[in-house]
């Protein structure tokens, strides 16, 4: 038996009954881009993310570029972001015409390190991107005063953190403006590409919507040069149905993570992920650190376990960015992590049996098999009544 990295078919199955009639009605109505379903989802997601406004976009990268441009980031500006993130975070900065400034991450959480931000900030800094990586929130409350001192603001990259909370605040409501992705594999995923910007500021929301609609609010009146990036009704319907289950699905991800924690913590060679104090993690990814990572990943693959690496090449070593204007601080933590990190499968519909298969395979890779009662222990530990 094999264990996939995620199971999107199971998610769709759970929402099928709600989605299909709404899809049929939307397709019959001809409201494909924008329209009542998109407007309804924007209201639902704004409420969920604790923000006054939500603007649906075509994907997360466009959402981030739109958010950056809306706050005035452009040529001549510097934007600080962690070197350990998906390349899209930097793409959005470069596409907005600004200069990415790459800084290192915290050793325990692998999230952007406020001390590194402080050291890298300067008079050209316009924004600091708090990337909420792997499903937990970066310390926005520490980043905001640093940014403010330099006349900059915090922009959240909330692509991996739908529903995550920190010190009472929810992902997407903590910075001046936030961008998220609804790529199918995210905690809240569409049936294709999708994204959104959330903010409390009506003028920023207006600007993002205008930028993502060819720089125009009224047909053929183009205020600025924008681009085309809008959420469509099909995605809005799927997202609306899945949003109702997101809290439950995030709780199921947390249960998987707690079983991994309990059944792996005695392996001295495996560094388990750390949840920062004050954070409620939503486990988009469960990222361990192991020595001899390629061998361990191969052992897991041979046992039928899918894994991932998020991310194998730090941004300052990416050939795609080599030609871009960029400022890079020393990133020893990011560099060391890149060769050790390994993402284990974690998804809401994972069975107890699948969790144990992953644990068993990882333990076997270090010659430390599990006890015979492991499946019963896993079922007792995770407490959701999984098969
Ligand atoms: C941290 C991060 N930022 C930005 C993005 C970009 O989102 P999208 O793929 O929807 O453009 C992603 C996901 O792909 C991501 O993981």
């Amino acid at each position: 038996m094999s264990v996939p990295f995620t199971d999107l078919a199971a998610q769709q199955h759970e929402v099928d009954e709600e989605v299909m009639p709404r899809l049929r009605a939307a397709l019959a109505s001809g409201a494909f881009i924008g329209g009542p379903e998109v407007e309804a989802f924007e209201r639902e997601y704004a409420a969920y993310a604790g923000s006054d406004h939500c603007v649906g976009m075509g994907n997360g990268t466009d959402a981030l570029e739109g958010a950056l441009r809306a706050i005035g980031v452009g040529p001549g500006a510097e934007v600080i972001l962690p070197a350990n993130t998906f390349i899209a975070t930097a793409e959005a900065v470069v596409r907005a015409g600004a200069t990415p400034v790459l800084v290192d991450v915290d050793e325990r959480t692998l999230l952007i390190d406020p001390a590194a931000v402080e050291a890298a900030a300067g008079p050209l800094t316009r924004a600091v991107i708090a990337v909420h990586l792997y499903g937990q929130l970066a310390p926005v409350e520490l980043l905001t005063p640093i940014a403010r001192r330099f006349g900059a603001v915090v922009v959240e990259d909330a692509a991996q953190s739908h529903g995550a909370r920190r010190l009472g605040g929810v992902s997407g409501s903590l910075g001046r403006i936030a961008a998220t992705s609804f790529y199918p594999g995210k905690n809240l995923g569409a049936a294709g590409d999708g994204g959104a910007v959330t903010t409390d500021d009506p003028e920023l929301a207006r600007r993002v919507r205008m930028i993502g609609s060819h720089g125009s609010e009224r047909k053929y009146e183009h205020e600025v040069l924008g681009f085309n990036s809008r959420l469509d009704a099909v995605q809005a319907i799927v997202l609306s149905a899945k949003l109702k289950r997101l809290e439950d699905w995030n709780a199921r991800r947390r249960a998987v993570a707690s079983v991994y924690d309990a059944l792996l913590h005695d392996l001295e060679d495996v560094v388990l992920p750390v949840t920062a104090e004050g954070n409620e993690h939503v486990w988009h990814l469960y990222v361990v650190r192991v020595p001899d990572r390629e061998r361990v990943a191969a052992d897991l693959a041979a046992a039928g376990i899918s894994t991932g690496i998020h991310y194998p090449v730090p941004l300052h070593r990416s050939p795609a960015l080599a030609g871009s204007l960029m400022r890079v601080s020393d990133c020893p933590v990011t560099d060391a992590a890149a060769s050790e990190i390994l993402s284990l499968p974690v998804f809401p519909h994972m069975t107890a049996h699948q969790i144990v298969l992953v644990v068993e395979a990882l333990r076997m890779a270090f010659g430390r098999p599990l006890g015979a009662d492991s499946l019963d222990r896993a079922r007792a530990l995770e407490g959701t009544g999984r098969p």
Side-chain angles (χ1 to χ4, degrees), residues 73 76-80 99 101 117-118 120-129 146-147 149-153 327:
V73 166
E78 291 188 344
V79 176
I80 300 177
T99 303
V101 176
V117 171
E118 176 122 46
L124 299 180
T125 308
R126 290 299 306 270
V128 176
I129 305 183
I146 299 170
R149 234 179 304 127
F150 290 89
V153 299
R327 207 147 66 72

mmCIF file with all atom_site columns, all heavy atoms in Angstrom, residues 73 76-80 99 101 117-118 120-129 146-147 149-153 327:
data_model
loop_
_atom_site.group_PDB
_atom_site.id
_atom_site.type_symbol
_atom_site.label_atom_id
_atom_site.label_alt_id
_atom_site.label_comp_id
_atom_site.label_asym_id
_atom_site.label_entity_id
_atom_site.label_seq_id
_atom_site.pdbx_PDB_ins_code
_atom_site.Cartn_x
_atom_site.Cartn_y
_atom_site.Cartn_z
_atom_site.occupancy
_atom_site.B_iso_or_equiv
_atom_site.pdbx_formal_charge
_atom_site.auth_seq_id
_atom_site.auth_comp_id
_atom_site.auth_asym_id
_atom_site.auth_atom_id
_atom_site.pdbx_PDB_model_num
ATOM 1   N N   . VAL A 1 73  ? 4.661  49.830 -3.983 1.00 0.00 ? 73  VAL A N   1
ATOM 2   C CA  . VAL A 1 73  ? 5.957  49.213 -4.273 1.00 0.00 ? 73  VAL A CA  1
ATOM 3   C C   . VAL A 1 73  ? 6.184  49.238 -5.783 1.00 0.00 ? 73  VAL A C   1
ATOM 4   O O   . VAL A 1 73  ? 5.308  48.847 -6.551 1.00 0.00 ? 73  VAL A O   1
ATOM 5   C CB  . VAL A 1 73  ? 5.996  47.756 -3.754 1.00 0.00 ? 73  VAL A CB  1
ATOM 6   C CG1 . VAL A 1 73  ? 7.178  46.995 -4.350 1.00 0.00 ? 73  VAL A CG1 1
ATOM 7   C CG2 . VAL A 1 73  ? 6.081  47.751 -2.237 1.00 0.00 ? 73  VAL A CG2 1
ATOM 8   N N   . GLY A 1 76  ? 12.864 51.067 -7.714 1.00 0.00 ? 76  GLY A N   1
ATOM 9   C CA  . GLY A 1 76  ? 13.592 51.850 -6.713 1.00 0.00 ? 76  GLY A CA  1
ATOM 10  C C   . GLY A 1 76  ? 13.325 51.397 -5.293 1.00 0.00 ? 76  GLY A C   1
ATOM 11  O O   . GLY A 1 76  ? 14.101 51.691 -4.390 1.00 0.00 ? 76  GLY A O   1
ATOM 12  N N   . ALA A 1 77  ? 12.243 50.665 -5.089 1.00 0.00 ? 77  ALA A N   1
ATOM 13  C CA  . ALA A 1 77  ? 11.901 50.198 -3.737 1.00 0.00 ? 77  ALA A CA  1
ATOM 14  C C   . ALA A 1 77  ? 12.569 48.856 -3.452 1.00 0.00 ? 77  ALA A C   1
ATOM 15  O O   . ALA A 1 77  ? 12.825 48.067 -4.371 1.00 0.00 ? 77  ALA A O   1
ATOM 16  C CB  . ALA A 1 77  ? 10.393 50.055 -3.600 1.00 0.00 ? 77  ALA A CB  1
ATOM 17  N N   . GLU A 1 78  ? 12.832 48.613 -2.179 1.00 0.00 ? 78  GLU A N   1
ATOM 18  C CA  . GLU A 1 78  ? 13.320 47.302 -1.749 1.00 0.00 ? 78  GLU A CA  1
ATOM 19  C C   . GLU A 1 78  ? 12.241 46.600 -0.931 1.00 0.00 ? 78  GLU A C   1
ATOM 20  O O   . GLU A 1 78  ? 11.524 47.242 -0.159 1.00 0.00 ? 78  GLU A O   1
ATOM 21  C CB  . GLU A 1 78  ? 14.587 47.452 -0.900 1.00 0.00 ? 78  GLU A CB  1
ATOM 22  C CG  . GLU A 1 78  ? 15.790 47.933 -1.704 1.00 0.00 ? 78  GLU A CG  1
ATOM 23  C CD  . GLU A 1 78  ? 17.092 47.887 -0.902 1.00 0.00 ? 78  GLU A CD  1
ATOM 24  O OE1 . GLU A 1 78  ? 17.044 47.783 0.349  1.00 0.00 ? 78  GLU A OE1 1
ATOM 25  O OE2 . GLU A 1 78  ? 18.156 47.959 -1.530 1.00 0.00 ? 78  GLU A OE2 1
ATOM 26  N N   . VAL A 1 79  ? 12.156 45.299 -1.117 1.00 0.00 ? 79  VAL A N   1
ATOM 27  C CA  . VAL A 1 79  ? 11.186 44.498 -0.372 1.00 0.00 ? 79  VAL A CA  1
ATOM 28  C C   . VAL A 1 79  ? 11.931 43.337 0.278  1.00 0.00 ? 79  VAL A C   1
ATOM 29  O O   . VAL A 1 79  ? 12.614 42.562 -0.407 1.00 0.00 ? 79  VAL A O   1
ATOM 30  C CB  . VAL A 1 79  ? 10.070 43.959 -1.292 1.00 0.00 ? 79  VAL A CB  1
ATOM 31  C CG1 . VAL A 1 79  ? 9.130  43.050 -0.512 1.00 0.00 ? 79  VAL A CG1 1
ATOM 32  C CG2 . VAL A 1 79  ? 9.296  45.114 -1.917 1.00 0.00 ? 79  VAL A CG2 1
ATOM 33  N N   . ILE A 1 80  ? 11.813 43.242 1.605  1.00 0.00 ? 80  ILE A N   1
ATOM 34  C CA  . ILE A 1 80  ? 12.530 42.193 2.344  1.00 0.00 ? 80  ILE A CA  1
ATOM 35  C C   . ILE A 1 80  ? 11.665 40.938 2.419  1.00 0.00 ? 80  ILE A C   1
ATOM 36  O O   . ILE A 1 80  ? 10.468 41.021 2.732  1.00 0.00 ? 80  ILE A O   1
ATOM 37  C CB  . ILE A 1 80  ? 12.886 42.681 3.762  1.00 0.00 ? 80  ILE A CB  1
ATOM 38  C CG1 . ILE A 1 80  ? 13.777 43.935 3.660  1.00 0.00 ? 80  ILE A CG1 1
ATOM 39  C CG2 . ILE A 1 80  ? 13.580 41.582 4.564  1.00 0.00 ? 80  ILE A CG2 1
ATOM 40  C CD1 . ILE A 1 80  ? 14.126 44.544 5.016  1.00 0.00 ? 80  ILE A CD1 1
ATOM 41  N N   . THR A 1 99  ? 13.191 45.638 -5.847 1.00 0.00 ? 99  THR A N   1
ATOM 42  C CA  . THR A 1 99  ? 14.377 44.807 -5.598 1.00 0.00 ? 99  THR A CA  1
ATOM 43  C C   . THR A 1 99  ? 14.137 43.894 -4.398 1.00 0.00 ? 99  THR A C   1
ATOM 44  O O   . THR A 1 99  ? 13.891 44.380 -3.289 1.00 0.00 ? 99  THR A O   1
ATOM 45  C CB  . THR A 1 99  ? 15.588 45.717 -5.276 1.00 0.00 ? 99  THR A CB  1
ATOM 46  O OG1 . THR A 1 99  ? 15.761 46.623 -6.373 1.00 0.00 ? 99  THR A OG1 1
ATOM 47  C CG2 . THR A 1 99  ? 16.855 44.901 -5.077 1.00 0.00 ? 99  THR A CG2 1
ATOM 48  N N   . VAL A 1 101 ? 15.106 41.772 -1.270 1.00 0.00 ? 101 VAL A N   1
ATOM 49  C CA  . VAL A 1 101 ? 16.213 41.702 -0.312 1.00 0.00 ? 101 VAL A CA  1
ATOM 50  C C   . VAL A 1 101 ? 15.991 40.417 0.477  1.00 0.00 ? 101 VAL A C   1
ATOM 51  O O   . VAL A 1 101 ? 15.029 40.295 1.240  1.00 0.00 ? 101 VAL A O   1
ATOM 52  C CB  . VAL A 1 101 ? 16.214 42.931 0.621  1.00 0.00 ? 101 VAL A CB  1
ATOM 53  C CG1 . VAL A 1 101 ? 17.307 42.813 1.673  1.00 0.00 ? 101 VAL A CG1 1
ATOM 54  C CG2 . VAL A 1 101 ? 16.381 44.217 -0.195 1.00 0.00 ? 101 VAL A CG2 1
ATOM 55  N N   . VAL A 1 117 ? 15.771 40.781 9.451  1.00 0.00 ? 117 VAL A N   1
ATOM 56  C CA  . VAL A 1 117 ? 15.021 41.867 8.791  1.00 0.00 ? 117 VAL A CA  1
ATOM 57  C C   . VAL A 1 117 ? 15.554 43.209 9.268  1.00 0.00 ? 117 VAL A C   1
ATOM 58  O O   . VAL A 1 117 ? 15.826 44.115 8.482  1.00 0.00 ? 117 VAL A O   1
ATOM 59  C CB  . VAL A 1 117 ? 13.504 41.745 9.094  1.00 0.00 ? 117 VAL A CB  1
ATOM 60  C CG1 . VAL A 1 117 ? 12.758 42.982 8.599  1.00 0.00 ? 117 VAL A CG1 1
ATOM 61  C CG2 . VAL A 1 117 ? 12.941 40.475 8.471  1.00 0.00 ? 117 VAL A CG2 1
ATOM 62  N N   . GLU A 1 118 ? 15.729 43.314 10.565 1.00 0.00 ? 118 GLU A N   1
ATOM 63  C CA  . GLU A 1 118 ? 16.236 44.556 11.165 1.00 0.00 ? 118 GLU A CA  1
ATOM 64  C C   . GLU A 1 118 ? 17.593 44.914 10.562 1.00 0.00 ? 118 GLU A C   1
ATOM 65  O O   . GLU A 1 118 ? 17.850 46.076 10.218 1.00 0.00 ? 118 GLU A O   1
ATOM 66  C CB  . GLU A 1 118 ? 16.357 44.355 12.680 1.00 0.00 ? 118 GLU A CB  1
ATOM 67  C CG  . GLU A 1 118 ? 16.950 45.524 13.408 1.00 0.00 ? 118 GLU A CG  1
ATOM 68  C CD  . GLU A 1 118 ? 16.005 46.056 14.472 1.00 0.00 ? 118 GLU A CD  1
ATOM 69  O OE1 . GLU A 1 118 ? 15.465 45.220 15.218 1.00 0.00 ? 118 GLU A OE1 1
ATOM 70  O OE2 . GLU A 1 118 ? 15.819 47.282 14.533 1.00 0.00 ? 118 GLU A OE2 1
ATOM 71  N N   . ALA A 1 120 ? 18.786 44.068 7.682  1.00 0.00 ? 120 ALA A N   1
ATOM 72  C CA  . ALA A 1 120 ? 18.768 44.318 6.235  1.00 0.00 ? 120 ALA A CA  1
ATOM 73  C C   . ALA A 1 120 ? 17.966 45.556 5.847  1.00 0.00 ? 120 ALA A C   1
ATOM 74  O O   . ALA A 1 120 ? 18.088 46.048 4.727  1.00 0.00 ? 120 ALA A O   1
ATOM 75  C CB  . ALA A 1 120 ? 18.183 43.094 5.517  1.00 0.00 ? 120 ALA A CB  1
ATOM 76  N N   . ALA A 1 121 ? 17.119 46.058 6.756  1.00 0.00 ? 121 ALA A N   1
ATOM 77  C CA  . ALA A 1 121 ? 16.241 47.180 6.404  1.00 0.00 ? 121 ALA A CA  1
ATOM 78  C C   . ALA A 1 121 ? 17.046 48.456 6.201  1.00 0.00 ? 121 ALA A C   1
ATOM 79  O O   . ALA A 1 121 ? 18.120 48.634 6.773  1.00 0.00 ? 121 ALA A O   1
ATOM 80  C CB  . ALA A 1 121 ? 15.194 47.381 7.503  1.00 0.00 ? 121 ALA A CB  1
ATOM 81  N N   . GLY A 1 122 ? 16.537 49.331 5.353  1.00 0.00 ? 122 GLY A N   1
ATOM 82  C CA  . GLY A 1 122 ? 17.218 50.599 5.073  1.00 0.00 ? 122 GLY A CA  1
ATOM 83  C C   . GLY A 1 122 ? 16.238 51.609 4.512  1.00 0.00 ? 122 GLY A C   1
ATOM 84  O O   . GLY A 1 122 ? 15.025 51.360 4.480  1.00 0.00 ? 122 GLY A O   1
ATOM 85  N N   . PRO A 1 123 ? 16.760 52.734 4.052  1.00 0.00 ? 123 PRO A N   1
ATOM 86  C CA  . PRO A 1 123 ? 15.875 53.820 3.594  1.00 0.00 ? 123 PRO A CA  1
ATOM 87  C C   . PRO A 1 123 ? 15.024 53.443 2.371  1.00 0.00 ? 123 PRO A C   1
ATOM 88  O O   . PRO A 1 123 ? 13.986 54.065 2.141  1.00 0.00 ? 123 PRO A O   1
ATOM 89  C CB  . PRO A 1 123 ? 16.857 54.955 3.249  1.00 0.00 ? 123 PRO A CB  1
ATOM 90  C CG  . PRO A 1 123 ? 18.204 54.335 3.182  1.00 0.00 ? 123 PRO A CG  1
ATOM 91  C CD  . PRO A 1 123 ? 18.182 53.121 4.038  1.00 0.00 ? 123 PRO A CD  1
ATOM 92  N N   . LEU A 1 124 ? 15.446 52.452 1.605  1.00 0.00 ? 124 LEU A N   1
ATOM 93  C CA  . LEU A 1 124 ? 14.663 52.087 0.412  1.00 0.00 ? 124 LEU A CA  1
ATOM 94  C C   . LEU A 1 124 ? 13.595 51.033 0.704  1.00 0.00 ? 124 LEU A C   1
ATOM 95  O O   . LEU A 1 124 ? 12.782 50.701 -0.149 1.00 0.00 ? 124 LEU A O   1
ATOM 96  C CB  . LEU A 1 124 ? 15.596 51.559 -0.694 1.00 0.00 ? 124 LEU A CB  1
ATOM 97  C CG  . LEU A 1 124 ? 16.651 52.538 -1.206 1.00 0.00 ? 124 LEU A CG  1
ATOM 98  C CD1 . LEU A 1 124 ? 17.511 51.893 -2.294 1.00 0.00 ? 124 LEU A CD1 1
ATOM 99  C CD2 . LEU A 1 124 ? 15.977 53.804 -1.765 1.00 0.00 ? 124 LEU A CD2 1
ATOM 100 N N   . THR A 1 125 ? 13.629 50.477 1.925  1.00 0.00 ? 125 THR A N   1
ATOM 101 C CA  . THR A 1 125 ? 12.676 49.410 2.263  1.00 0.00 ? 125 THR A CA  1
ATOM 102 C C   . THR A 1 125 ? 11.250 49.953 2.254  1.00 0.00 ? 125 THR A C   1
ATOM 103 O O   . THR A 1 125 ? 10.942 50.912 2.955  1.00 0.00 ? 125 THR A O   1
ATOM 104 C CB  . THR A 1 125 ? 12.978 48.832 3.673  1.00 0.00 ? 125 THR A CB  1
ATOM 105 O OG1 . THR A 1 125 ? 14.349 48.463 3.723  1.00 0.00 ? 125 THR A OG1 1
ATOM 106 C CG2 . THR A 1 125 ? 12.103 47.617 3.956  1.00 0.00 ? 125 THR A CG2 1
ATOM 107 N N   . ARG A 1 126 ? 10.390 49.335 1.455  1.00 0.00 ? 126 ARG A N   1
ATOM 108 C CA  . ARG A 1 126 ? 8.978  49.742 1.429  1.00 0.00 ? 126 ARG A CA  1
ATOM 109 C C   . ARG A 1 126 ? 8.072  48.682 2.048  1.00 0.00 ? 126 ARG A C   1
ATOM 110 O O   . ARG A 1 126 ? 6.976  48.975 2.480  1.00 0.00 ? 126 ARG A O   1
ATOM 111 C CB  . ARG A 1 126 ? 8.508  50.001 -0.024 1.00 0.00 ? 126 ARG A CB  1
ATOM 112 C CG  . ARG A 1 126 ? 9.092  51.226 -0.680 1.00 0.00 ? 126 ARG A CG  1
ATOM 113 C CD  . ARG A 1 126 ? 8.720  52.512 0.071  1.00 0.00 ? 126 ARG A CD  1
ATOM 114 N NE  . ARG A 1 126 ? 7.292  52.683 0.269  1.00 0.00 ? 126 ARG A NE  1
ATOM 115 C CZ  . ARG A 1 126 ? 6.468  53.303 -0.567 1.00 0.00 ? 126 ARG A CZ  1
ATOM 116 N NH1 . ARG A 1 126 ? 6.943  53.834 -1.664 1.00 0.00 ? 126 ARG A NH1 1
ATOM 117 N NH2 . ARG A 1 126 ? 5.182  53.416 -0.301 1.00 0.00 ? 126 ARG A NH2 1
ATOM 118 N N   . ALA A 1 127 ? 8.535  47.419 2.021  1.00 0.00 ? 127 ALA A N   1
ATOM 119 C CA  . ALA A 1 127 ? 7.686  46.348 2.557  1.00 0.00 ? 127 ALA A CA  1
ATOM 120 C C   . ALA A 1 127 ? 8.540  45.202 3.069  1.00 0.00 ? 127 ALA A C   1
ATOM 121 O O   . ALA A 1 127 ? 9.659  44.984 2.617  1.00 0.00 ? 127 ALA A O   1
ATOM 122 C CB  . ALA A 1 127 ? 6.736  45.834 1.472  1.00 0.00 ? 127 ALA A CB  1
ATOM 123 N N   . VAL A 1 128 ? 7.973  44.500 4.062  1.00 0.00 ? 128 VAL A N   1
ATOM 124 C CA  . VAL A 1 128 ? 8.562  43.255 4.567  1.00 0.00 ? 128 VAL A CA  1
ATOM 125 C C   . VAL A 1 128 ? 7.503  42.179 4.340  1.00 0.00 ? 128 VAL A C   1
ATOM 126 O O   . VAL A 1 128 ? 6.357  42.343 4.783  1.00 0.00 ? 128 VAL A O   1
ATOM 127 C CB  . VAL A 1 128 ? 8.886  43.361 6.074  1.00 0.00 ? 128 VAL A CB  1
ATOM 128 C CG1 . VAL A 1 128 ? 9.410  42.028 6.601  1.00 0.00 ? 128 VAL A CG1 1
ATOM 129 C CG2 . VAL A 1 128 ? 9.885  44.484 6.333  1.00 0.00 ? 128 VAL A CG2 1
ATOM 130 N N   . ILE A 1 129 ? 7.876  41.114 3.638  1.00 0.00 ? 129 ILE A N   1
ATOM 131 C CA  . ILE A 1 129 ? 6.874  40.068 3.392  1.00 0.00 ? 129 ILE A CA  1
ATOM 132 C C   . ILE A 1 129 ? 6.992  38.992 4.467  1.00 0.00 ? 129 ILE A C   1
ATOM 133 O O   . ILE A 1 129 ? 8.002  38.281 4.568  1.00 0.00 ? 129 ILE A O   1
ATOM 134 C CB  . ILE A 1 129 ? 7.021  39.444 1.989  1.00 0.00 ? 129 ILE A CB  1
ATOM 135 C CG1 . ILE A 1 129 ? 6.966  40.535 0.908  1.00 0.00 ? 129 ILE A CG1 1
ATOM 136 C CG2 . ILE A 1 129 ? 5.903  38.415 1.757  1.00 0.00 ? 129 ILE A CG2 1
ATOM 137 C CD1 . ILE A 1 129 ? 7.021  40.013 -0.510 1.00 0.00 ? 129 ILE A CD1 1
ATOM 138 N N   . ILE A 1 146 ? 9.470  46.994 13.301 1.00 0.00 ? 146 ILE A N   1
ATOM 139 C CA  . ILE A 1 146 ? 10.728 47.160 12.543 1.00 0.00 ? 146 ILE A CA  1
ATOM 140 C C   . ILE A 1 146 ? 10.414 47.843 11.215 1.00 0.00 ? 146 ILE A C   1
ATOM 141 O O   . ILE A 1 146 ? 11.046 48.830 10.824 1.00 0.00 ? 146 ILE A O   1
ATOM 142 C CB  . ILE A 1 146 ? 11.402 45.783 12.291 1.00 0.00 ? 146 ILE A CB  1
ATOM 143 C CG1 . ILE A 1 146 ? 11.760 45.102 13.608 1.00 0.00 ? 146 ILE A CG1 1
ATOM 144 C CG2 . ILE A 1 146 ? 12.638 45.944 11.415 1.00 0.00 ? 146 ILE A CG2 1
ATOM 145 C CD1 . ILE A 1 146 ? 12.214 43.645 13.465 1.00 0.00 ? 146 ILE A CD1 1
ATOM 146 N N   . ALA A 1 147 ? 9.407  47.322 10.521 1.00 0.00 ? 147 ALA A N   1
ATOM 147 C CA  . ALA A 1 147 ? 9.028  47.913 9.229  1.00 0.00 ? 147 ALA A CA  1
ATOM 148 C C   . ALA A 1 147 ? 8.666  49.384 9.415  1.00 0.00 ? 147 ALA A C   1
ATOM 149 O O   . ALA A 1 147 ? 9.120  50.249 8.661  1.00 0.00 ? 147 ALA A O   1
ATOM 150 C CB  . ALA A 1 147 ? 7.856  47.135 8.630  1.00 0.00 ? 147 ALA A CB  1
ATOM 151 N N   . ARG A 1 149 ? 9.570  51.565 11.568 1.00 0.00 ? 149 ARG A N   1
ATOM 152 C CA  . ARG A 1 149 ? 10.721 52.437 11.811 1.00 0.00 ? 149 ARG A CA  1
ATOM 153 C C   . ARG A 1 149 ? 11.400 52.875 10.513 1.00 0.00 ? 149 ARG A C   1
ATOM 154 O O   . ARG A 1 149 ? 12.051 53.894 10.440 1.00 0.00 ? 149 ARG A O   1
ATOM 155 C CB  . ARG A 1 149 ? 11.725 51.719 12.712 1.00 0.00 ? 149 ARG A CB  1
ATOM 156 C CG  . ARG A 1 149 ? 12.070 52.545 13.934 1.00 0.00 ? 149 ARG A CG  1
ATOM 157 C CD  . ARG A 1 149 ? 13.045 51.876 14.870 1.00 0.00 ? 149 ARG A CD  1
ATOM 158 N NE  . ARG A 1 149 ? 12.615 50.568 15.318 1.00 0.00 ? 149 ARG A NE  1
ATOM 159 C CZ  . ARG A 1 149 ? 13.346 49.454 15.232 1.00 0.00 ? 149 ARG A CZ  1
ATOM 160 N NH1 . ARG A 1 149 ? 14.557 49.489 14.718 1.00 0.00 ? 149 ARG A NH1 1
ATOM 161 N NH2 . ARG A 1 149 ? 12.876 48.298 15.660 1.00 0.00 ? 149 ARG A NH2 1
ATOM 162 N N   . PHE A 1 150 ? 11.255 52.043 9.473  1.00 0.00 ? 150 PHE A N   1
ATOM 163 C CA  . PHE A 1 150 ? 11.874 52.371 8.185  1.00 0.00 ? 150 PHE A CA  1
ATOM 164 C C   . PHE A 1 150 ? 10.840 52.922 7.191  1.00 0.00 ? 150 PHE A C   1
ATOM 165 O O   . PHE A 1 150 ? 11.096 53.001 5.993  1.00 0.00 ? 150 PHE A O   1
ATOM 166 C CB  . PHE A 1 150 ? 12.578 51.130 7.615  1.00 0.00 ? 150 PHE A CB  1
ATOM 167 C CG  . PHE A 1 150 ? 13.805 50.745 8.399  1.00 0.00 ? 150 PHE A CG  1
ATOM 168 C CD1 . PHE A 1 150 ? 13.708 49.878 9.486  1.00 0.00 ? 150 PHE A CD1 1
ATOM 169 C CD2 . PHE A 1 150 ? 15.049 51.285 8.091  1.00 0.00 ? 150 PHE A CD2 1
ATOM 170 C CE1 . PHE A 1 150 ? 14.832 49.535 10.229 1.00 0.00 ? 150 PHE A CE1 1
ATOM 171 C CE2 . PHE A 1 150 ? 16.182 50.951 8.824  1.00 0.00 ? 150 PHE A CE2 1
ATOM 172 C CZ  . PHE A 1 150 ? 16.072 50.065 9.897  1.00 0.00 ? 150 PHE A CZ  1
ATOM 173 N N   . GLY A 1 151 ? 9.650  53.236 7.690  1.00 0.00 ? 151 GLY A N   1
ATOM 174 C CA  . GLY A 1 151 ? 8.609  53.767 6.804  1.00 0.00 ? 151 GLY A CA  1
ATOM 175 C C   . GLY A 1 151 ? 8.029  52.708 5.882  1.00 0.00 ? 151 GLY A C   1
ATOM 176 O O   . GLY A 1 151 ? 7.514  53.026 4.805  1.00 0.00 ? 151 GLY A O   1
ATOM 177 N N   . ALA A 1 152 ? 8.129  51.449 6.305  1.00 0.00 ? 152 ALA A N   1
ATOM 178 C CA  . ALA A 1 152 ? 7.638  50.347 5.459  1.00 0.00 ? 152 ALA A CA  1
ATOM 179 C C   . ALA A 1 152 ? 6.434  49.674 6.135  1.00 0.00 ? 152 ALA A C   1
ATOM 180 O O   . ALA A 1 152 ? 6.070  50.012 7.264  1.00 0.00 ? 152 ALA A O   1
ATOM 181 C CB  . ALA A 1 152 ? 8.753  49.324 5.253  1.00 0.00 ? 152 ALA A CB  1
ATOM 182 N N   . VAL A 1 153 ? 5.820  48.740 5.439  1.00 0.00 ? 153 VAL A N   1
ATOM 183 C CA  . VAL A 1 153 ? 4.679  48.009 6.008  1.00 0.00 ? 153 VAL A CA  1
ATOM 184 C C   . VAL A 1 153 ? 4.902  46.505 5.848  1.00 0.00 ? 153 VAL A C   1
ATOM 185 O O   . VAL A 1 153 ? 5.739  46.071 5.049  1.00 0.00 ? 153 VAL A O   1
ATOM 186 C CB  . VAL A 1 153 ? 3.342  48.384 5.317  1.00 0.00 ? 153 VAL A CB  1
ATOM 187 C CG1 . VAL A 1 153 ? 3.042  49.860 5.497  1.00 0.00 ? 153 VAL A CG1 1
ATOM 188 C CG2 . VAL A 1 153 ? 3.348  47.997 3.845  1.00 0.00 ? 153 VAL A CG2 1
ATOM 189 N N   . ARG A 1 327 ? 19.394 41.973 -3.362 1.00 0.00 ? 327 ARG A N   1
ATOM 190 C CA  . ARG A 1 327 ? 20.342 42.139 -2.266 1.00 0.00 ? 327 ARG A CA  1
ATOM 191 C C   . ARG A 1 327 ? 20.190 40.911 -1.383 1.00 0.00 ? 327 ARG A C   1
ATOM 192 O O   . ARG A 1 327 ? 19.062 40.513 -1.100 1.00 0.00 ? 327 ARG A O   1
ATOM 193 C CB  . ARG A 1 327 ? 20.010 43.422 -1.510 1.00 0.00 ? 327 ARG A CB  1
ATOM 194 C CG  . ARG A 1 327 ? 21.172 44.057 -0.805 1.00 0.00 ? 327 ARG A CG  1
ATOM 195 C CD  . ARG A 1 327 ? 21.045 45.574 -0.778 1.00 0.00 ? 327 ARG A CD  1
ATOM 196 N NE  . ARG A 1 327 ? 19.912 46.065 0.012  1.00 0.00 ? 327 ARG A NE  1
ATOM 197 C CZ  . ARG A 1 327 ? 19.838 46.050 1.350  1.00 0.00 ? 327 ARG A CZ  1
ATOM 198 N NH1 . ARG A 1 327 ? 20.797 45.484 2.070  1.00 0.00 ? 327 ARG A NH1 1
ATOM 199 N NH2 . ARG A 1 327 ? 18.797 46.553 1.973  1.00 0.00 ? 327 ARG A NH2 1
#
